[in-house]
Amino acid sequence: MKFISHLFSFLVLTGLAGACGVALLVADITGDLPDYRELADWEPAVMTRVYAYNGALLAEYARERRLFLPIEAVPDRVRHAFLSAEDKGFYSHSGIELSGLASAVWANMANFGSGQRMIGGSTITQQVAKNLLLSSDRTLARKIREAVLSVRIERAFSKDEILELYFNDVYFGLGAYGIAEAALTYFDKPVGELSVAEAAYLAALPKGPNNYNPDLNAKRAIERRNWVIGQMLRNGFLDGGEARAAAAMPLGTKKRPPNLLVADANYFTEAVRRQVSEQYGEAALYTAGLAVRTTLDPALQAAAVKALRRGLVNYDQGRGFRGAVTRIAADGDWRQALDSIVPLADVPEWRLAVVLGTTEHVVEIGLRQGPGNRPEREIAHISGKSMRWALKRAGSAKTGKALAGVVAPGDVIYVEKQDDGYVLRQVPEVQGALVSMDAHTGRVLASVGGFSFAQSEFNRATQAYRQPGSAFKPFVYAAALDTGYTPAALVMDEPIALPDGAGRIWKPKNYDGRFSGPSTLRTGLEKSRNLMTVRLARHVGMDVVAQYGQSFGIYDKLKPYLPMSLGAGETTLMRLVSAYAVIANGGKSVQPSMIDRVQDRHGKTIFRHDGRDCDACNAEEWRDQPEPVLEDDREYVLDPMTAYQVTSMMRGVVERGTATSVSALGVPVAGKTGTTNDEKDVWFVGFTPNIVTGVFLGYDTPKPMGYGESGGGLAAPVFIDFMKIALKGKPVAEFPVPEGMTFESVDRRTGRRVAAGSPGSVREAFKPGTSPCVADCPVIDGFETSDIVTSTIPAVGGISPVLRDKLLDSTGGLY
């Protein structure tokens, strides 16, 4: 009896000692547990998505591709699939499942020393604790810490809150984090549209995404999916018929295409990415889950890319063929060598091909295969007729006659499929840009920064600073009209020769080398007269002209040197287009924007381009109150009457001046050409009452584009091609006339008032208190004779020799 009593005491004491030891061990292991309450503020790394104005997806930026989904948006069939696969007792246990834990412990004891990894037997709560608060080490200490944290988490959070954490954290393979991104990655659909079979497959993935990869292990994937379906049936979430139907379904994965929904928007989206990164930081761009709604119109963007590329290709082909992209062996298996050459990814209509042979009239080619191409190897032909442009070698005036002199077997070239066969292409050396903007809001509707983003990421629309040439002249004329001139005022169009104070003479000239004597301002702008512009700038004052250039946002700081009146300063196409928008909208300031609004991961708007307040817009109900009106609080940069006068004069540029080809659009359009010295840069910026579009062409390293090339000949056709699409099906009204403006018929040459309908007359706009002259109209010269004979140029003297040489080179060609 004593023995039994002593044995019992020993066992009790041993048990108590063991319990104390375990308690001390657990206390030691769990003494530095992370604060589980942090989960209440947990925000996973969520991708930022960039959208066009109509909601089409443009780009995604993420370190972990994840879209946050609230638990309320997860349907029951998806919840049931995951509970059946991962934790069928989730809604009944307190954080740990004792039976599952016991099975895991038994299995781990049986495998002890075998080198096999420990299994977990984890509940969903334990997985949340491990993934969000602990490491993934497979040790007993980590399992104890995980169990303790799980119990604490269950006490602090509801089951749905825990399940929400799980659904948004778990990794599904193929770079997809969270259930929302997994549904898009594997089935290209939102979670709410998943079928039972699809939900079961996604529920099978967390155990081992690579083991059930649909491409590598489709059979195992279906087996695991069907096991999940069987568990759903066993747990009462499906009936027999539903389970059999789901198990009979093919895997049916449908991956999202790698190409984004909006093509050819790389320059635009990269500019947006830079702006978001600068405003919110690089970390926020890739983890904060921002929703960026941009101003881009996908249809107009496609039209802009097509128009600009056509213009660049047409010009480039006119210079002749420069030769093959590279060379490979054309005999034997040329296919592997050709397929290893990477084409321009964003010009999919162009394909690489190798020349296999040539005859007098035909070139035989072998085509590179790629995404979207037919799987069989393809042999095709290029007709000699379509290659006539290539018979001229670039840099040579000579024109060959034989196709063999253009390409040879082994030459790798670009080709494009057209209705009548393949045609030869070459990547242009010349570059360009196009920007189209809403004249009233500054919203950028389309923007292209070059021929191909894959070829060059440098954005010529926003990053290239070039001389605008005569495209700057409207702002000189605006300054003159604001200081008392009228469109009918006469300015002398005669030669000027001004010493620069350093032994040189500045001799600006008109592009055609002619001069017309006294001419109206309208004629000066329509015909882009350099001599008139210089005289006008001198009379108005270059300090005033410089201030206008800055007020319109064209320049940050414009030096008041006379050559600057001819567009010798440098600016970007984006800035120039936004300045034209001020004229187009009647004089109100314009802030160009590529982003309409930015929302955080919870849908709260944190940025809005339209900063106007509208308290009445948030009324809880309608009580017969009038509709809210958004006040236009923008400042006027230009007198509305001056804006209308300049617009009227620029309509003359289209109707009678340097851009008559634009009149083919058949709608009210105003615009101005620009061509710099030696034809190094060509421009055209034009607008209707609602949309402003600018085009620039030139080499990245400025060099002459060829004698006689001009903004009207190269840039205007690109503008026309784009605007045909932009204006299609949209009525274009006349430019609104400011209240108080009067109209008179004047002679375009003399500026005198004439009878309405007289030959050579134009209906001219006048501000109150101004009118055309009747006879002996005064002529503004801008220079006294002594200035021309003996004086230096006050606006050029006293500057650095380098800048002086640059300015004095602006002697002509600016029109």
Side-chain angles (χ1 to χ4, degrees):
M1 194 67 180
K2 287 184 178 181
F3 173 76
I4 295 175
S5 176
H6 288 309
L7 178 62
F8 177 75
S9 298
F10 173 77
L11 292 175
V12 170
L13 292 173
T14 302
L16 289 173
C20 290
V22 171
L24 290 173
L25 177 63
V26 171
D28 180 63
I29 292 175
T30 61
D32 60 344
L33 283 176
D35 188 353
Y36 60 91
R37 290 168 296 188
E38 293 178 357
L39 295 178
D41 300 319
W42 178 72
E43 290 190 338
V46 181
M47 76 170 69
T48 289
R49 308 186 91 187
V50 181
Y51 301 91
Y53 91 100
N54 63 352
L57 184 63
L58 291 177
E60 296 174 326
Y61 301 104
R63 291 174 183 160
E64 295 180 355
R65 289 179 44 239
R66 176 189 284 110
L67 296 172
F68 184 82
L69 190 71
I71 190 63
E72 294 82 7
V74 181
D76 286 343
R77 61 183 174 279
V78 177
R79 299 193 199 195
H80 295 161
F82 279 82
L83 295 178
S84 297
E86 296 289 325
D87 187 359
K88 66 179 180 180
F90 173 73
Y91 279 99
S92 59
H93 63 61
S94 60
I96 55 176
E97 184 65 61
L98 294 179
S99 60
L101 185 62
S103 298
V105 170
W106 180 262
N108 291 329
M109 291 177 62
N111 294 327
F112 183 77
S114 66
Q116 295 186 30
R117 297 178 66 186
M118 295 178 66
I119 63 174
S122 298
T123 64
I124 284 178
T125 311
Q126 288 175 276
Q127 292 182 55
V128 168
K130 178 190 70 174
N131 294 337
L132 300 182
L133 298 174
L134 300 172
S135 69
S136 296
D137 297 338
R138 289 180 174 268
T139 62
L140 179 61
R142 197 268 295 164
K143 290 298 294 182
I144 293 173
R145 291 162 63 86
E146 175 187 296
V148 173
L149 275 175
S150 297
V151 174
R152 294 178 180 179
I153 289 171
E154 287 277 350
R155 292 173 179 172
F157 297 94
S158 70
K159 288 290 187 179
D160 279 355
E161 287 173 336
I162 297 170
L163 196 57
E164 181 178 86
L165 292 171
Y166 172 80
F167 274 134
N168 285 286
D169 173 70
V170 67
Y171 179 61
F172 288 86
L174 300 183
Y177 290 81
I179 184 66
E181 181 61 25
L184 293 172
T185 298
Y186 285 94
F187 296 106
D188 195 21
K189 62 174 61 174
V191 173
E193 296 180 8
L194 292 174
S195 67
V196 170
E198 292 165 345
Y201 173 65
L202 293 184
L205 288 170
K207 284 293 185 185
N210 291 332
N211 295 334
Y212 309 115
N213 183 294
D215 297 322
L216 304 178
N217 299 299
K219 183 177 179 181
R220 291 181 65 184
I222 292 176
E223 290 174 353
R224 177 68 179 177
R225 180 204 67 180
N226 289 350
W227 176 85
V228 175
I229 293 172
Q231 293 298 106
M232 294 176 71
L233 173 63
R234 186 172 295 107
N235 295 330
F237 296 135
L238 297 176
D239 60 32
E242 291 172 325
R244 286 190 295 273
M249 295 292 292
L251 202 56
T253 53
K254 178 186 176 184
K255 297 179 183 177
R256 279 190 298 171
N259 296 328
L260 297 175
L261 297 180
V262 178
D264 300 323
N266 291 330
Y267 284 110
F268 186 95
T269 53
E270 174 59 16
V272 170
R273 187 198 69 80
R274 288 172 179 267
Q275 182 178 339
V276 173
S277 179
E278 290 173 2
Q279 188 166 350
Y280 300 104
E282 194 82 358
L285 174 68
Y286 290 97
T287 65
L290 304 176
V292 182
R293 183 62 62 97
T294 72
T295 60
L296 187 79
D297 184 321
L300 294 189
Q301 180 69 15
V305 170
K306 186 175 181 180
L308 180 63
R309 284 181 179 167
R310 183 186 295 117
L312 295 174
V313 167
N314 287 344
Y315 169 81
D316 187 72
Q317 289 188 172
R319 312 267 78 74
F321 185 60
R322 293 187 299 278
V325 175
T326 186
R327 286 187 56 80
I328 61 174
D331 54 346
D333 188 8
W334 48 265
R335 297 169 177 83
Q336 184 175 358
L338 182 61
D339 288 352
S340 67
I341 302 173
V342 180
L344 294 176
D346 54 351
V347 192
E349 62 271 23
W350 287 20
R351 294 176 63 182
L352 285 170
V354 60
V355 176
L356 300 178
T358 62
T359 66
E360 184 178 352
H361 302 291
V362 174
V363 174
E364 184 181 50
I365 57 173
L367 292 166
R368 181 187 188 277
Q369 303 303 302
N373 300 148
R374 288 184 293 178
E376 69 269 15
R377 301 298 177 181
E378 189 173 353
I379 305 297
H381 299 84
I382 307 174
S383 70
K385 181 180 179 181
S386 69
M387 291 183 61
R388 286 177 180 172
W389 68 270
L391 295 176
K392 178 181 178 180
R393 303 294 296 188
S396 172
K398 296 182 179 180
T399 301
K401 294 183 179 180
L403 296 182
V406 178
V407 293
D411 282 353
V412 176
I413 57 177
Y414 276 105
V415 297
E416 182 180 6
K417 181 68 177 296
Q418 295 189 343
D419 293 339
D420 55 350
Y422 283 91
V423 296
L424 175 67
R425 293 294 188 219
Q426 71 177 355
V427 178
E429 286 186 339
V430 70
Q431 284 289 354
L434 184 151
V435 171
S436 188
M437 181 184 300
D438 185 295
H440 302 279
T441 64
R443 298 175 68 251
V444 178
L445 307 175
S447 178
V448 190
F451 178 79
S452 163
F453 188 81
Q455 175 198 20
S456 168
E457 296 184 9
F458 181 66
N459 192 330
R460 288 105 188 146
T462 60
Q463 295 176 301
Y465 279 80
R466 308 291 287 249
Q467 292 182 339
S470 292
F472 178 67
K473 287 178 180 175
F475 306 97
V476 178
Y477 283 77
L481 292 167
D482 267 352
T483 54
Y485 281 80
T486 74
L490 294 178
V491 177
M492 184 60 70
D493 182 18
E494 292 288 348
I496 303 170
L498 300 174
D500 70 341
R504 293 180 58 184
I505 301 295
W506 184 52
K507 296 181 178 179
K509 60 184 179 181
N510 295 327
Y511 183 80
D512 59 8
R514 302 175 183 177
F515 45 89
S516 305
S519 303
T520 62
L521 260 65
R522 172 177 287 278
T523 299
L525 192 59
E526 289 180 358
K527 302 300 182 182
S528 200
R529 297 293 186 180
N530 293 331
L531 296 172
M532 291 179 63
T533 304
V534 171
R535 280 189 160 88
L536 196 61
R538 174 61 180 268
H539 193 262
V540 171
M542 266 308 300
D543 56 338
V544 175
V545 172
Q547 184 59 49
Y548 271 65
Q550 293 164 200
S551 297
F552 280 85
I554 303 173
Y555 305 106
D556 292 326
K557 182 67 175 178
L558 182 64
K559 298 295 184 181
Y561 308 140
L562 276 176
M564 294 296 189
S565 67
L566 300 181
E570 294 177 341
T571 189
T572 67
L573 178 61
M574 182 70 75
R575 299 181 76 159
L576 191 62
V577 170
S578 63
Y580 271 72
V582 173
I583 300 175
N585 71 32
K588 290 185 176 181
S589 64
V590 169
Q591 181 63 42
S593 176
M594 292 183 166
I595 298 176
D596 275 337
R597 70 174 182 269
V598 179
Q599 294 170 293
D600 64 17
R601 68 174 70 211
H602 304 295
K604 179 183 177 182
T605 298
I606 57 177
F607 169 81
R608 189 179 63 189
H609 173 59
D610 188 344
R612 294 175 293 174
D613 293 325
C614 181
D615 295 332
C617 293
N618 298 319
E620 294 184 359
E621 58 181 314
W622 183 60
R623 298 179 179 177
D624 294 324
Q625 68 266 41
E627 292 183 5
V629 177
L630 282 173
E631 297 294 336
D632 190 345
D633 55 2
R634 291 176 298 163
E635 296 181 354
Y636 277 97
V637 178
L638 187 65
D639 183 332
M641 291 188 177
T642 299
Y644 182 83
Q645 288 176 315
V646 175
T647 297
S648 176
M649 294 161 68
M650 283 198 285
R651 289 189 68 176
V653 173
V654 171
E655 295 167 0
R656 293 174 296 275
T658 57
T660 53
S661 60
V662 177
S663 62
L665 290 172
V667 298
V669 181
K672 186 68 185 75
T673 54
T675 308
T676 62
N677 286 310
D678 300 323
E679 298 85 18
K680 293 178 181 177
D681 305 276
V682 297
W683 308 71
F684 182 79
V685 185
F687 55 87
T688 67
N690 295 317
I691 186 171
V692 187
T693 300
V695 177
F696 157 77
L697 275 72
Y699 291 96
D700 283 345
T701 301
K703 66 179 182 179
M705 298 182 68
Y707 179 76
E709 301 292 4
S710 66
L714 294 179
V718 177
F719 174 88
I720 295 169
D721 283 350
F722 171 77
M723 291 298 285
K724 284 180 179 177
I725 303 301
L727 300 176
K728 188 175 182 180
K730 300 175 183 176
V732 179
E734 286 289 341
F735 290 95
V737 180
E739 186 178 352
M741 183 149 278
T742 60
F743 292 87
E744 299 278 359
S745 290
V746 301
D747 185 282
R748 289 201 307 270
R749 186 178 62 84
T750 67
R752 298 174 182 174
R753 180 188 288 120
V754 296
S758 298
S761 67
V762 64
R763 188 169 177 263
E764 201 65 85
F766 292 90
K767 298 177 182 178
T770 66
S771 61
C773 61
V774 178
D776 298 327
C777 299
V779 179
I780 302 299
D781 189 316
F783 293 94
E784 299 295 335
T785 303
S786 59
D787 286 331
I788 300 177
V789 175
T790 62
S791 298
T792 63
I793 306 174
V796 177
I799 63 175
S800 71
V802 175
L803 181 56
R804 179 189 291 112
D805 290 343
K806 182 176 181 180
L807 294 174
L808 294 180
D809 191 44
S810 302
T811 57
L814 300 159
Y815 83 106

